[in-house]
Structure formats: structure tokens, C-alpha cells
Amino acid sequence: MEIQQMQPELTPYTGPEITAPSAILMEASTGTVICEKNADEPRNPASVTKIMTLILIFDALQSGKIRLTDEVVTSAHAKSMGGSQVFLEEGEIQTVETLIKCIVIASGNDASVAMAEFIGGDEGTFVKMMNERAKGLGMEHTKFIDCCGLTDSPEHVTTARDIALMSRELITKYPQITNYTTIWMENITHVTKQGTKEFGLSNTNKLLKMATNFEVTGLKTGSTSIAKYCLSATAKKDGVELIAAIMAAPDYKARFKDAVTLLNYGFGNCRLYKDETPPELPKLSVTGGKEPEVELSYGVTFTYLGLHGEDFSGVERELMLEESAKAPVKAGDQLGTLRYRFNGEEIGNIPVIAARDVDPAGFSDYVKWMMGWWRMRGEEV
């Protein structure tokens, strides 16, 4: 069931002190921005670019275009990638799942290009897909030139806000990504003309091994001389999931320290209200329909993010339904509202919808009703 995204109005405040010149802290389920620092300043994201590459990979998996067990052949172009790599050889075959691990754990540029070619036909076509996907997510200040972030082109840019947006898309739409982003070390096997050998992948996200009071779930690091040190860090605590995007930190330790600072700040202040057990819904009468009643359901699950450590035990709910519905009724038609109030103020609402269709009654339906009525009268007599 889809979760409704409610965003309370944010009052101006200053976030915790960090060294990175650009950063943002976002709550994942609602998209609420908790604090930000120059979050719309375009910068080179380095390998954090691969978050969008991963989104397109999982899009292709979900649509059935590719499967985890599909075999991918490494091209000469993919092998030629420098920077972070897993040293794929031209002609080497790896499964889609293995290449996902190479991208997520070891930030393999060669693995990223191999998957880009497998999905898009060539890297250029895949990059166009990346930019289209970014546009659809509202990433207003992003332009990708390659699929891995290795380029030194000044046009390859994004922002802390846009990193948070694509990170949110990846972890909420494809939560299975954490099956890979939480792997610390794993071996893959190279099978080439030179023979077979094991190669160790080691996660570039050192937050996974740092002592924290929250659960680190990912997501992606990146660094080049142009980008400096970037990070999209995701973590969970007490039902709250946060995203901390760091750009251009001065060194690799600073990006992790800044992320921990932001995440601690967020978990210390945020409280998420999620109504898992809304009021039971009655059936609603239908006039002029083939059936006299229609079942109701809630269109979404209500969530609300508080930013000041609120105790939501006092939330009040008010169910408001139409007196009846007139046929035809279509599944999804709104027939009521469940409103939520906290401390006397409405904090949001969710629709109550028809669970299925009810078609208008025809002549034969009326004949059946009349015959049933006469039969019932006869039994009474």
C-alpha cells in the first residue's frame, strides 16, 4: 500500500555544525527536509552518481527487462575504466547480481559501464535514461555525463538535495538494495583466458563499521580530486529512516563525521507517526447499483513527521463518510476522509475509497428484485 507523504511546515532553525560546504538531512518516508546547508549548490558528485545507475538497474529488474541471473559480457570500453574498479577483463562474463555487488560494495566503474551497456545498449543511451529519470524525480540541478562519476567534465553536476531525492527513490522503491549496501566484504570470481581467481570486494562506506547508536543501511560514497569527498548515508532508528547527503567534504574522515553528526541530530529530534491500525470501515450503501452496498478501503497509510520530539499518543482521528454512493461506482472513487488532529490542529488526512466497482442496475436486475419481493411477501402470507 502506498504511503501518503505528509510534510509539516518547517520553522527556520540552524542545523548542527559540519565541515562540508554542502549537505542536507531528509526523512525518507515523507521526504521532509530536516536541515540543509547550501543544498542547491551544483557540484560534482563523483561515484555518488552510481545511485542513479542503480535505480535504472532495479527499474529494469522490476519491469522484467533483465534478471539477476542474466549474464553480462564485459566490453573493451567497460574494461578501460580507471578509478575504482573490480578489474573486469574484456569478454569476461558476470551475472547482473554480481555486478550490482561490484557497484554497491566496491564502487566499480567498470561494472557500472558494463551494466549501462547491458541495459541501454551503450553508455551514452543509458546516460540519457539517467537524466530523464532524474528529471522525473524533480532533480532540478542535475546533469549526468557518464554513469559512474569518473568524468572530469564540469557539466557533470548534482546537488545535495538532488542526491537525497534519488537516494530516497532507491531505498523506498527498492528496499532490497540494503541486501547489498550492508555487505562489508565479499569475494567474486574472475573467469578469464588467464584462468580463474578470487577477488575481494570491500565496502567503501566505512560507516558500516563505525560505532553508532543507529542502524546504518547504506548507501554510496564518492571521491575525486574535483568532487572531494561525497557521501549519501542512510540509517534507521525507532521506525525513522534518514538520508544524509554530504558534498565536497575536505577529507574522507570528515564526510563520515558530518554524516554521523547530521544523523544523530535527526534521530534526536524526529518522531514518526504512522497509523498502522486505522478505524474499521463499514460498507456504504449504493443507490441504483447492481449491488446495494460497496466495500471501502483506505487509499494510503497516514504518516506524519514531527521535528521536536513529539509524543503522538494524543493524536485524534475523525472518520467522515458520504451518506451513500450513486452507481456507477468505480474502484478508487473517494467516498470519505479520515482526518487527523494533534494538539487541536489538523495534521493531515487520507482518502476513503471504494474497494471495487459497482455497475448501474439494469432492467433485469429490477425484475429480479421485484420477483424476490413478491416471493418474500408470499412466504409471509
Side-chain angles (χ1 to χ4, degrees), residues 274-346:
K274 185 175 182 180
D275 191 5
E276 301 278 17
T277 55
E280 188 175 344
L281 292 169
K283 291 183 179 180
L284 191 70
S285 63
V286 178
T287 58
K290 280 180 175 285
E291 299 174 38
E293 295 177 319
V294 64
E295 291 85 5
L296 301 175
S297 67
Y298 293 104
V300 292
T301 300
F302 180 79
T303 60
Y304 177 83
L305 185 70
L307 301 176
H308 307 289
E310 294 90 341
D311 176 7
F312 287 118
S313 59
V315 170
E316 298 175 336
R317 303 178 301 190
E318 181 184 12
L319 181 60
M320 305 175 68
L321 300 176
E322 301 286 345
E323 290 185 5
S324 64
K326 185 178 180 180
V329 176
K330 296 294 183 184
D333 285 353
Q334 183 168 348
L335 300 173
T337 303
L338 180 59
R339 301 187 183 282
Y340 293 81
R341 291 187 178 86
F342 180 60
N343 290 337
E345 295 184 4
E346 183 171 333

Side-chain angles (χ1 to χ4, degrees), residues 47 50 54 57 74 84-88 92 94-115 180 183 186-190 199-204 220:
S47 284
K50 296 184 178 83
L54 289 165
I57 291 172
T74 305
S84 300
Q85 55 186 306
V86 294
F87 302 100
L88 298 173
E92 180 178 343
Q94 295 287 357
T95 66
V96 167
E97 184 166 40
T98 298
L99 292 176
I100 289 173
K101 291 177 181 179
C102 293
I103 296 167
V104 173
I105 303 171
S107 195
N109 295 321
D110 44 2
S112 297
V113 173
M115 281 305 305
Y180 305 103
I183 295 173
E186 185 160 323
N187 287 344
I188 64 168
T189 303
H190 287 298
F199 181 79
L201 305 178
S202 181
N203 205 310
T204 58
K220 191 71 197 73

Side-chain angles (χ1 to χ4, degrees), residues 38 154 162 171 229 263 279 298-299 341 343 346:
N38 301 323
D162 287 357
I171 65 175
Y229 294 86
L263 291 169
Y298 293 104
R341 291 187 178 86
N343 290 337
E346 183 171 333

